[in-house]
Amino acid sequence: MFSNDGLDVGTAVLLDAVPEPPATGNLLDIGCGWGPLTLDLALSSPGAAVWAVDVNPLALEATRRNARALSLSNVNCVAPEDIPADLRFDAIWSNPPIRIGKAALHELLTTWLARLHPDGEAWLVVQKHLGADSLLRWLGEQPGLDAERATSKKTFRVLRVTRVSEHE
């Protein structure tokens, strides 16, 4: 599990950069790990349903345990296939698993970003030397998505992704 001994620098950079999440709706943490983004979403938006998704059962259990420790009742820790197919997200936050390889990462992001509500925002943090700039270009080339570098801090880029209106 990634960074199971504390908050990693990239996630800290993302948490410093993101705006407050929507107060209600469905919020998603892609690749939740032990849950720092999930927990922040759930604490910031107690009226929202927060979905923590990871392929690692140990990560999901760690996030569940941490949510219970904080008495958070709005957290759903699930494998990707357990999220209802028709569920859309008002916000997506992620320190995506870059090291799974470009093809797998592109598939992962394509899958989840397609489920972003038209007025929702996805916020991703990627280390510059691990391909942040090329990922930003790739995201901007995807039909229906608009992507921008929101900020840079230390060696990280924070990327903001939105859905493009069909009328644009």
Side-chain angles (χ1 to χ4, degrees), residues 67-133:
R68 277 194 305 270
L70 293 171
S71 300
L72 296 170
S73 60
N74 60 331
V75 173
N76 305 286
C77 299
V78 297
E81 62 273 12
D82 295 329
I83 292 186
D86 61 343
L87 194 64
R88 298 294 173 258
F89 298 99
D90 301 285
I92 297 173
W93 288 6
S94 184
N95 184 344
I98 297 296
R99 296 182 190 270
I100 63 174
K102 189 180 282 190
L105 177 66
H106 288 176
E107 181 181 345
L108 175 101
L109 292 175
T110 299
T111 298
W112 294 111
L113 293 173
R115 296 178 69 174
L116 187 64
H117 269 297
D119 58 345
E121 294 180 334
W123 293 84
L124 313 173
V125 64
V126 180
Q127 204 160 34
K128 181 180 177 184
H129 79 274
L130 292 179
D133 294 336

Side-chain angles (χ1 to χ4, degrees), residues 3-41:
S3 188
N4 61 355
D5 60 346
L7 189 63
D8 65 284
V9 176
T11 299
V13 167
L14 182 64
L15 288 170
D16 284 344
V18 293
E20 285 295 313
T24 60
N26 291 297
L27 314 179
L28 175 65
D29 175 5
I30 304 168
C32 64
W34 58 269
L37 295 176
T38 298
L39 301 174
D40 193 85
L41 285 165

